Amino acid sequence: MAISGVGQNYYQNNVETKRNTKNVNGMEKICTGKAGSTQGLSEAEEMELFKKEFYAELERIPRDKTIANVAVNISEEAFKNMKADPKYREQMLSVIRRDMTGSVAPAPDCSLVITVGATAKDYRADGWSVNNDSEFYARSQNSFYKKTSGKQNNKKKLLEEYLEKRAQAKRQQQELLDEKVAKAEQERSRLEKAWDSRRQMAKTSSVYDANIMTDTVAGGDSLLG
């Protein structure tokens, strides 16, 4: 599973020799090949490491059988406060564990979105039936932690296949309709040209007949004279 913003090569500062174990402050001493020289983690690297460890804690929490899908949204302010205050971190892990392992009855299959904010009062957990999962997927697009059931994924896949087949059928129907319209237009154009040709022939014939009559009349006058 991908971890948003976590696991991104924490130590890339041209380390020349092996890393030592962490010290009591959570920093890692890195030997650079020079006597007495050490290099600690930056603030950003410490935060990324903290997020990775928090993610691992969430991974160890089992989901209740009534929870098909779960997502945990955590603000950056919440991460800062949990990192600075271990008690707040444990408090948030406790309520997350409570909600992820608790039954979400009466619905047998539910989706759960947990939101962790800067303070305890900002914490909330919202659940929906899997039959109304549009809300879950909308609110969990950029979640820090997200787990979905294989069953639900299969349903989503079947739905996508169905929608694709329906779209394909509509495209085929439109193509047939466009073809019929094109053929009808071609037939209309052919009939119009044929009608124009007939009218032109009729007009030419009338002119010809008129000329014949004129010539005949003119010829008769000359004979009588």
Side-chain angles (χ1 to χ4, degrees), residues 33-50:
K34 297 179 181 179
S37 175
T38 62
Q39 180 180 340
L41 299 177
S42 67
E43 265 186 49
E45 289 172 332
E46 283 186 29
M47 179 55 75
E48 291 303 309
L49 182 58
F50 178 83

Side-chain angles (χ1 to χ4, degrees), residues 107-124:
D109 291 307
C110 290
S111 295
L112 180 67
V113 172
I114 293 173
T115 303
V116 181
T119 65
K121 68 179 181 180
D122 297 319
Y123 178 91
R124 60 181 294 173

Side-chain angles (χ1 to χ4, degrees), residues 13-198:
N13 296 318
N14 299 319
V15 178
E16 299 175 1
T17 56
K18 68 178 181 179
R19 300 182 180 99
N20 293 322
T21 57
K22 295 180 186 177
N23 63 12
V24 293
N25 294 319
M27 306 290 286
E28 287 192 359
K29 294 180 179 179
I30 306 177
C31 178
T32 62
K34 297 179 181 179
S37 175
T38 62
Q39 180 180 340
L41 299 177
S42 67
E43 265 186 49
E45 289 172 332
E46 283 186 29
M47 179 55 75
E48 291 303 309
L49 182 58
F50 178 83
K51 289 180 179 180
K52 184 176 181 181
E53 291 172 347
F54 197 86
Y55 188 94
E57 290 284 353
L58 296 180
E59 277 282 83
R60 287 192 281 270
I61 300 176
R63 296 201 311 267
D64 185 81
K65 62 182 181 180
T66 60
I67 302 175
N69 311 302
V70 64
V72 181
N73 297 327
I74 306 177
S75 69
E76 287 301 316
E77 192 66 25
F79 274 123
K80 290 178 183 177
N81 292 345
M82 287 192 293
K83 183 175 180 295
D85 185 359
K87 289 184 178 179
Y88 183 54
R89 176 184 181 277
E90 291 307 313
Q91 182 184 9
M92 291 300 97
L93 276 174
S94 177
V95 289
I96 292 173
R97 187 177 295 107
R98 176 200 65 195
D99 291 332
M100 285 178 61
T101 59
S103 173
V104 193
D109 291 307
C110 290
S111 295
L112 180 67
V113 172
I114 293 173
T115 303
V116 181
T119 65
K121 68 179 181 180
D122 297 319
Y123 178 91
R124 60 181 294 173
D126 300 298
W128 304 269
S129 166
V130 291
N131 296 322
N132 187 30
D133 261 354
S134 57
E135 184 74 14
F136 171 79
Y137 285 107
R139 293 180 59 177
S140 65
Q141 288 184 1
N142 300 312
S143 294
F144 172 76
Y145 177 87
K146 184 175 179 180
K147 285 281 189 177
T148 57
S149 67
K151 180 180 179 182
Q152 185 62 24
N153 289 338
N154 187 51
K155 285 183 179 179
K156 186 179 179 183
K157 182 180 179 181
L158 291 174
L159 176 61
E160 290 174 349
E161 290 177 353
Y162 166 74
L163 293 176
E164 175 57 30
K165 288 180 180 178
R166 189 172 69 174
Q168 185 177 359
K170 285 185 176 181
R171 287 195 297 269
Q172 290 176 345
Q173 289 176 353
Q174 187 61 45
E175 288 173 0
L176 290 174
L177 179 61
D178 292 343
E179 186 178 351
K180 288 181 179 179
V181 170
K183 286 182 177 180
E185 180 62 23
Q186 288 176 356
E187 181 64 13
R188 186 193 66 78
S189 178
R190 186 187 69 79
L191 292 174
E192 188 175 283
K193 288 180 180 178
W195 178 247
D196 286 342
S197 178
R198 289 194 186 99

